[in-house]
Amino acid sequence: MKRTANIKPKIGLWKFLPKIISTKTAQCIYPFIFLPEDIYKDLISPTPKSESVAVLLHEKVHFERQKEKGIVQWSILYIISSKFRFNEELLAFKEQIKYLKKLNLTLDLELRAKRLSSYLYLWCVSYEKALLELKKF
Ligand SMILES: [Zn+2]
Protein backbone atom coordinates (compact mmCIF):
# COMPACT_ATOMS: atom_id res chain seq x y z
CA MET A 1 0.00 0.00 0.00
CA LYS A 2 1.16 3.47 -0.75
CA ARG A 3 1.33 5.54 2.41
CA THR A 4 -1.61 7.87 1.88
CA ALA A 5 -2.36 10.77 4.16
CA ASN A 6 -5.93 9.74 4.90
CA ILE A 7 -5.05 6.29 6.25
CA LYS A 8 -3.85 6.45 9.83
CA PRO A 9 -2.80 4.06 12.59
CA LYS A 10 -4.82 4.12 15.81
CA ILE A 11 -2.26 5.76 18.00
CA GLY A 12 -2.46 8.65 20.42
CA LEU A 13 -5.95 9.32 21.77
CA TRP A 14 -7.28 5.98 20.46
CA LYS A 15 -5.30 4.30 23.23
CA PHE A 16 -7.69 5.73 25.81
CA LEU A 17 -10.58 3.76 24.33
CA PRO A 18 -11.30 0.13 25.25
CA LYS A 19 -8.49 -2.08 23.96
CA ILE A 20 -10.75 -4.00 21.60
CA ILE A 21 -11.55 -0.74 19.78
CA SER A 22 -7.96 0.51 19.53
CA THR A 23 -6.33 -2.81 18.68
CA LYS A 24 -8.96 -4.98 17.00
CA THR A 25 -11.25 -2.74 14.99
CA ALA A 26 -10.84 -0.28 12.14
CA GLN A 27 -13.00 2.81 11.59
CA CYS A 28 -13.70 5.06 8.70
CA ILE A 29 -14.59 8.62 9.56
CA TYR A 30 -14.58 10.30 6.16
CA PRO A 31 -12.10 11.36 4.87
CA PHE A 32 -9.96 9.27 7.23
CA ILE A 33 -9.52 5.55 7.73
CA PHE A 34 -8.15 4.52 11.12
CA LEU A 35 -6.54 1.10 11.42
CA PRO A 36 -5.16 -0.89 14.35
CA GLU A 37 -1.43 -0.18 14.47
CA ASP A 38 -0.39 -3.75 13.57
CA ILE A 39 -2.61 -3.76 10.48
CA TYR A 40 -1.37 -0.32 9.45
CA LYS A 41 2.27 -1.41 9.82
CA ASP A 42 1.59 -4.57 7.87
CA LEU A 43 -0.08 -2.65 5.04
CA ILE A 44 2.87 -0.29 4.56
CA SER A 45 5.31 -3.21 4.62
CA PRO A 46 6.56 -4.60 1.28
CA THR A 47 4.48 -7.78 1.63
CA PRO A 48 1.21 -7.07 3.44
CA LYS A 49 -1.00 -9.97 4.52
CA SER A 50 -4.19 -10.56 2.55
CA GLU A 51 -6.18 -10.27 5.79
CA SER A 52 -4.88 -6.73 6.27
CA VAL A 53 -5.72 -5.78 2.69
CA ALA A 54 -9.21 -7.20 3.26
CA VAL A 55 -9.69 -4.96 6.32
CA LEU A 56 -8.71 -1.94 4.25
CA LEU A 57 -11.18 -2.96 1.52
CA HIS A 58 -13.93 -3.16 4.17
CA GLU A 59 -13.13 0.36 5.36
CA LYS A 60 -12.95 1.63 1.78
CA VAL A 61 -16.59 0.60 1.30
CA HIS A 62 -17.52 2.76 4.32
CA PHE A 63 -15.34 5.53 2.87
CA GLU A 64 -17.19 5.51 -0.45
CA ARG A 65 -20.62 5.29 1.20
CA GLN A 66 -19.81 8.17 3.56
CA LYS A 67 -18.53 10.22 0.63
CA GLU A 68 -21.72 9.49 -1.34
CA LYS A 69 -24.20 10.22 1.43
CA GLY A 70 -22.19 12.85 3.25
CA ILE A 71 -20.49 12.06 6.52
CA VAL A 72 -23.07 13.87 8.67
CA GLN A 73 -26.08 12.13 7.19
CA TRP A 74 -24.31 8.77 7.10
CA SER A 75 -23.23 9.08 10.75
CA ILE A 76 -26.69 10.06 11.96
CA LEU A 77 -28.31 7.16 10.11
CA TYR A 78 -25.59 4.81 11.35
CA ILE A 79 -26.29 5.78 14.95
CA ILE A 80 -30.09 5.93 14.91
CA SER A 81 -30.96 3.09 12.52
CA SER A 82 -29.92 -0.44 13.36
CA LYS A 83 -31.16 -1.53 9.94
CA PHE A 84 -28.96 1.04 8.17
CA ARG A 85 -26.01 0.13 10.39
CA PHE A 86 -26.32 -3.57 9.68
CA ASN A 87 -26.77 -2.95 5.96
CA GLU A 88 -23.66 -0.75 5.81
CA GLU A 89 -21.66 -3.43 7.59
CA LEU A 90 -22.96 -6.14 5.26
CA LEU A 91 -21.88 -4.09 2.23
CA ALA A 92 -18.40 -3.74 3.71
CA PHE A 93 -18.10 -7.37 4.85
CA LYS A 94 -19.22 -8.49 1.40
CA GLU A 95 -16.13 -6.88 -0.20
CA GLN A 96 -13.87 -8.20 2.54
CA ILE A 97 -15.19 -11.77 2.29
CA LYS A 98 -15.27 -11.81 -1.53
CA TYR A 99 -11.62 -10.70 -1.66
CA LEU A 100 -10.54 -13.37 0.83
CA LYS A 101 -12.56 -16.07 -0.95
CA LYS A 102 -10.75 -15.37 -4.23
CA LEU A 103 -7.54 -16.19 -2.38
CA ASN A 104 -9.07 -19.28 -0.77
CA LEU A 105 -9.07 -17.59 2.60
CA THR A 106 -11.92 -17.15 5.02
CA LEU A 107 -13.00 -14.75 7.68
CA ASP A 108 -14.04 -15.96 11.12
CA LEU A 109 -17.76 -15.38 10.53
CA GLU A 110 -18.79 -16.49 14.03
CA LEU A 111 -16.51 -13.84 15.53
CA ARG A 112 -17.85 -11.16 13.14
CA ALA A 113 -21.46 -12.15 13.94
CA LYS A 114 -20.65 -12.00 17.65
CA ARG A 115 -19.20 -8.50 17.28
CA LEU A 116 -22.07 -7.26 15.07
CA SER A 117 -24.56 -8.36 17.71
CA SER A 118 -22.59 -6.69 20.52
CA TYR A 119 -22.14 -3.15 21.87
CA LEU A 120 -19.35 -2.63 19.34
CA TYR A 121 -22.01 -2.14 16.67
CA LEU A 122 -24.67 -0.93 19.08
CA TRP A 123 -26.43 -4.31 19.01
CA CYS A 124 -27.59 -3.77 15.43
CA VAL A 125 -28.71 -7.35 14.86
CA SER A 126 -29.03 -10.73 16.54
CA TYR A 127 -26.09 -13.13 16.40
CA GLU A 128 -28.14 -15.64 14.39
CA LYS A 129 -29.27 -13.12 11.78
CA ALA A 130 -25.73 -11.69 11.43
CA LEU A 131 -24.24 -15.14 10.92
CA LEU A 132 -26.94 -16.10 8.43
CA GLU A 133 -26.34 -12.98 6.30
CA LEU A 134 -22.54 -13.19 6.47
CA LYS A 135 -22.66 -16.80 5.30
CA LYS A 136 -24.42 -15.72 2.10
CA PHE A 137 -21.27 -14.08 0.64
ZN1 LIG B 1 -17.47 -1.82 9.07
Side-chain angles (χ1 to χ4, degrees):
M1 176 186 87
K2 252 178 55 197
R3 201 186 281 252
T4 50
N6 69 330
I7 300 175
K8 299 182 179 299
K10 282 187 168 178
I11 50 174
L13 288 175
W14 287 100
K15 300 281 176 219
F16 292 102
L17 290 170
K19 215 172 173 169
I20 187 164
I21 293 174
S22 57
T23 65
K24 301 281 179 224
T25 67
Q27 255 94 37
C28 177
I29 305 169
Y30 186 82
F32 299 106
I33 290 175
F34 297 96
L35 300 168
E37 200 175 5
D38 57 331
I39 293 179
Y40 178 83
K41 280 186 179 161
D42 183 49
L43 281 169
I44 59 172
S45 75
T47 52
K49 294 187 199 107
S50 305
E51 287 82 357
S52 303
V53 174
V55 169
L56 184 61
L57 289 175
H58 175 120
E59 293 310 316
K60 280 189 167 169
V61 173
H62 291 320
F63 182 93
E64 288 304 322
R65 295 280 299 163
Q66 292 176 2
K67 192 174 159 188
E68 250 172 62
K69 273 210 170 300
I71 179 66
V72 175
Q73 200 191 347
W74 188 95
S75 303
I76 291 171
L77 283 170
Y78 193 89
I79 292 166
I80 64 170
S81 167
S82 55
K83 201 177 160 194
F84 180 85
R85 194 158 59 247
F86 184 48
N87 193 49
E88 292 301 303
E89 290 308 328
L90 283 181
L91 288 172
F93 276 117
K94 188 178 176 182
E95 286 306 308
Q96 190 175 0
I97 293 167
K98 264 171 45 189
Y99 173 79
L100 290 171
K101 269 197 172 166
K102 270 191 258 167
L103 303 167
N104 279 323
L105 296 167
T106 52
L107 199 64
D108 183 344
L109 300 183
E110 281 84 9
L111 176 67
R112 275 16 179 237
K114 207 172 136 192
R115 286 188 185 163
L116 280 168
S117 58
S118 79
Y119 75 98
L120 280 173
Y121 291 91
L122 305 171
W123 306 274
C124 67
V125 69
S126 70
Y127 172 81
E128 292 75 18
K129 169 107 172 122
L131 189 59
L132 186 77
E133 294 299 325
L134 289 171
K135 279 184 172 171
K136 288 180 181 171
F137 303 135

